[in-house]
Amino acid sequence: MRRKLVVGNWKMNGTLASNAALLADIKAGYSNLACDVAVCVPAPYFAQCQSLLLGTPIAFGGQDVSIHDTGAYTGEVAASMLQDFGCKYVIVGHSERRAYHAEGNDLVAQKAVKALKAGLVPIACLGETLEDREAGRTTEVVGQQMSAILSVTAPEDMEKIVIAYEPVWAIGTGKTATPQMAQEVHAMIRSMLCAKNAELASRVQILYGGSMKPNNAKELMAMSDIDGGLVGGAALNATDFIAITQAA
Ligand code: PGA
């Protein structure tokens, strides 16, 4: 049985004061976490998370990483810097990076490799647009995104990666894939992992993301290949976020 993982993606939200309040409420609200929990926060708040989450089972991470190690790359953040602050995870290839920063499959795969090399767990995001889905291209698009990652991942690194299936049309829209729709894609992703190494594939956590809320989290996470959630909007509210972790 795979352990479930619930990750809050704060996106570009927060202030020192609001983060402190949110983390205090999360810390006060959880008890006996039955799943892994993390928050992925804007880079300026790594130090705050490092100090406020010390001694708790809640991990934290970043939302993007550079493919470069160091040097003249203004504005970028290196994997070693995330590691320096105690990040465990880093999201790579979120659809907002793909859409607004033209990140393609190969770049996303390189970012996953950079994260792995620095000892971080990449949360690699895959997902089709509404246009892709309506044109019947979901399997093709998600398959290509997954292949790019598999092509650069050593078999022994496979179980160190988390995959997040996030249909773009479900992100921040209130529209959720039905549990069956999501399970179908998760099973396809798992079968691609299995083709590389069946034993390790059975251990990879595949998260669902896209309008996951307390009222749909349980049903989604009850599906056999849905191992948790990547939660955006609902992760900014401690009560909702805790309820989602409890549904896992
Ligand atoms: P959402 O975002 O839960 O607000 O839909 C999920 C994500 O983009 O990771």
Side-chain angles (χ1 to χ4, degrees):
M1 199 41 193
R2 285 178 296 276
R3 198 171 156 82
K4 297 251 191 297
L5 167 65
V6 175
V7 180
N9 174 10
W10 287 6
K11 308 195 180 187
M12 199 174 72
N13 291 293
T15 62
L16 282 174
S18 69
N19 301 343
L22 178 57
L23 292 174
D25 287 347
I26 293 172
K27 287 196 286 184
Y30 80 80
S31 57
N32 297 329
L33 281 179
C35 64
D36 296 332
V37 177
V39 289
C40 287
V41 307
Y45 299 124
F46 291 159
Q48 185 184 27
C49 287
Q50 188 177 35
S51 96
L52 294 182
L53 294 175
L54 188 73
T56 76
I58 302 166
F60 66 97
Q63 301 174 2
D64 182 35
V65 70
S66 176
I67 57 165
H68 303 289
D69 290 329
T70 183
Y73 301 101
T74 303
E76 298 211 18
V77 177
S80 58
M81 297 171 183
L82 274 78
Q83 222 246 359
D84 221 2
F85 279 91
C87 288
K88 176 169 182 188
Y89 296 98
V90 62
I91 297 172
V92 296
H94 189 279
S95 64
E96 287 149 17
R97 302 285 321 167
R98 292 179 188 260
Y100 308 142
H101 300 271
E103 293 194 6
N105 292 345
D106 293 340
L107 182 76
V108 172
Q110 285 181 57
K111 290 187 172 195
V113 169
K114 267 293 159 208
L116 283 167
K117 287 206 172 121
L120 301 164
V121 178
I123 302 175
C125 299
L126 322 174
E128 81 287 2
T129 62
L130 186 59
E131 202 187 345
D132 295 329
R133 179 160 280 268
E134 286 177 347
R137 297 185 61 226
T138 300
T139 305
E140 184 193 336
V141 169
V142 176
Q144 284 166 353
Q145 294 169 338
M146 189 64 212
S147 290
I149 290 162
L150 284 177
S151 68
V152 293
T153 313
E156 65 274 16
D157 281 340
M158 254 175 53
E159 63 177 329
K160 298 180 197 147
I161 293 188
V162 171
I163 304 293
Y165 168 57
E166 299 204 304
V168 179
W169 48 270
I171 295 176
T173 58
K175 290 186 196 150
T176 327
T178 64
Q180 292 71 22
M181 276 160 92
Q183 166 60 26
E184 209 174 292
V185 182
H186 281 233
M188 188 272 283
I189 294 168
R190 178 103 47 214
S191 72
M192 290 183 74
L193 289 159
C194 271
K196 189 140 176 167
N197 182 320
E199 201 209 324
L200 295 183
S202 67
R203 292 191 223 142
V204 177
Q205 290 167 316
I206 308 177
L207 314 183
Y208 169 80
S211 299
M212 186 180 265
K213 308 281 177 210
N215 64 4
N216 59 26
K218 205 173 182 73
E219 272 189 309
L220 284 159
M221 291 192 272
M223 303 308 286
S224 58
D225 288 297
I226 302 185
D227 308 311
L230 181 56
V231 184
L236 299 173
N237 176 298
T239 310
D240 287 352
F241 188 61
I242 290 165
I244 293 173
T245 66
Q246 283 163 349

